[in-house]
Amino acid sequence: MVDDEQLLSLLAVAQYGSISAAAEHLNRGQSAISERLRKLTDQVGEPLYTREVNGVKLTPAGASLIPDIERLRRVLRDIDSVIKRRKTLAEGNLNIVSTSLITNYFLIPYLSRFRLEYPHINLHIKSGERYMHDVAAGDVDLFFYEGNSDIPELPDYFDSIPWQDNEIVLVTPLNHSLAQRTDLTFEEIKDYSIIWREPGSGVRNAVEKEFKKRNIILERYIEVADIESVGSLVSANLGVGFMSKKVLTLRSDWKVSTATLETHEMICLNFMAAPSPGRRSRVLDKFLEWIQDPAKTT
């Protein structure tokens, strides 16, 4: 069977251009790297590289292995991260990645009480949409994301778990003509400027789906990057917007009103993505038990 160190040695040679440079990168002697490459060549049954004046060059057979070896290296790094993460978690660390909306309007009460109960656990929280795609899954214990939103591709051992759902409401400026309406139709809204978040956000996806179902095309809108901007711009009478009802109840500082829409299916559904039970630490299990108990925020 091919040894992963043999394959990674070939990858290092391809990246650094010589056996000596690969040996330095891998913290091994040149003779050890040469021996690995010799054994790999024997198993493949044809030359994998040729020596040249300025180093080595991969043969077509050697080059054909590189994409698969790069995937292998990513998997090995992920496994290494999982092992290291489990070791540190046993000492009391929890790594969370969440959208800013969920952090600011849903997670804070849970985090506050969990920290009071378990002050020895270090909470590492990366809040913001860019972290959803920029972090390695092996370094994260728990992802929080909005339903229907774009999320990173997660390893097979991660499970998505529905967490909370909340009604999506229409918000208007205080003195707007639609404020406090109780019989508003989606058709009427298309004549007003809509303030909403960027494509891919959970609330926007749900709203667009509802309009599409009615064959309504929205042509006037202002696009912003976060829910705070939606509230501020609606308060400034620049248009009407959509948001989770829970968000609205927590922002009494916004000068907005609401209108009741005709029957719809717009729901803000939040999810958690966590490693499957066999890969979780005791700290993560405790937090999942905690965060799924509504009584913990009372």
Side-chain angles (χ1 to χ4, degrees):
M1 181 178 293
V2 177
D3 188 288
D4 60 341
E5 290 188 344
Q6 297 170 8
L7 295 171
L8 294 175
S9 294
L10 180 64
L11 179 61
V13 167
Q15 290 179 329
Y16 294 96
S18 71
I19 293 177
S20 60
E24 181 178 355
H25 172 71
L26 297 172
N27 294 316
R28 294 291 185 271
Q30 291 189 44
S31 59
I33 301 301
S34 295
E35 180 63 13
R36 291 178 185 176
L37 296 175
R38 184 191 65 77
K39 290 181 178 179
L40 181 60
T41 299
D42 288 344
Q43 294 192 63
V44 174
E46 60 181 297
L48 300 177
Y49 63 92
T50 58
R51 295 181 182 274
E52 299 189 344
V53 176
N54 296 323
V56 299
K57 179 180 179 180
L58 295 188
T59 64
S64 69
L65 295 175
I66 297 302
D68 288 326
I69 299 174
E70 288 177 333
R71 283 193 289 272
L72 171 65
R73 182 174 62 177
R74 288 194 293 269
V75 171
L76 291 173
R77 285 179 174 176
D78 190 35
I79 292 172
D80 186 56
S81 295
V82 170
I83 293 172
K84 290 180 179 177
R85 180 170 51 84
R86 287 184 66 86
K87 181 178 180 180
T88 56
L89 281 172
E91 299 169 0
N93 293 287
L94 189 64
N95 295 280
I96 295 173
V97 170
S98 170
T99 65
S100 56
L101 184 146
I102 292 180
T103 300
N104 295 336
Y105 295 99
F106 291 88
L107 266 180
I108 287 178
Y110 294 93
L111 294 172
S112 296
R113 290 184 63 89
F114 188 78
R115 187 59 183 271
L116 287 174
E117 186 77 11
Y118 302 98
H120 62 285
I121 294 176
N122 298 315
L123 298 176
H124 303 275
I125 302 170
K126 292 185 177 180
S127 176
E129 282 64 18
R130 70 184 182 90
Y131 290 116
M132 298 297 291
H133 298 273
D134 289 347
V135 299
D139 296 332
V140 181
D141 299 299
L142 198 57
F143 286 92
F144 285 93
Y145 62 95
E146 302 154 47
N148 298 315
S149 61
D150 297 329
I151 63 170
E153 182 179 350
L154 297 174
D156 292 340
Y157 59 81
F158 267 78
D159 299 325
S160 289
I161 308 166
W163 181 42
Q164 291 188 0
D165 59 71
N166 200 241
E167 179 185 354
I168 295 175
V169 296
L170 176 71
V171 294
T172 73
L174 286 176
N175 299 316
H176 197 274
S177 60
L178 300 182
Q180 300 300 317
R181 285 275 301 275
T182 58
D183 57 349
L184 190 60
T185 68
F186 282 85
E187 185 70 29
E188 292 177 88
I189 299 175
K190 73 176 185 179
D191 296 325
Y192 296 89
S193 181
I194 305 294
I195 300 169
W196 57 15
R197 289 177 55 197
E198 71 284 358
S201 62
V203 169
R204 176 163 174 174
N205 284 346
V207 172
E208 286 184 318
K209 181 178 180 181
E210 202 70 25
F211 276 100
K212 185 176 181 180
K213 185 167 65 177
R214 292 170 169 78
N215 296 315
I216 299 174
I217 299 176
L218 297 175
E219 298 181 348
R220 299 175 56 195
Y221 60 86
I222 299 175
E223 187 175 289
V224 296
D226 51 51
I227 193 63
E228 283 73 22
S229 297
V230 174
S232 296
L233 268 63
V234 172
S235 297
N237 203 23
L238 289 172
V240 300
F242 294 89
M243 63 182 62
S244 162
K245 188 174 183 179
K246 181 170 183 177
V247 170
L248 183 60
T249 60
L250 295 174
R251 293 304 299 262
S252 58
D253 56 312
W254 286 339
K255 298 177 181 179
V256 298
S257 183
T258 60
T260 303
L261 280 164
E262 60 184 308
T263 302
H264 62 80
E265 298 179 356
M266 296 188 301
I267 295 292
C268 175
L269 180 60
N270 297 330
F271 285 84
M272 299 181 290
S276 54
R279 289 176 173 262
R280 297 174 189 168
S281 68
R282 288 178 296 173
V283 172
L284 178 56
D285 277 334
K286 176 59 67 175
F287 187 75
L288 286 173
E289 174 188 332
W290 181 280
I291 204 167
Q292 294 180 85
D293 183 356
K296 295 301 183 182
T297 58
T298 60

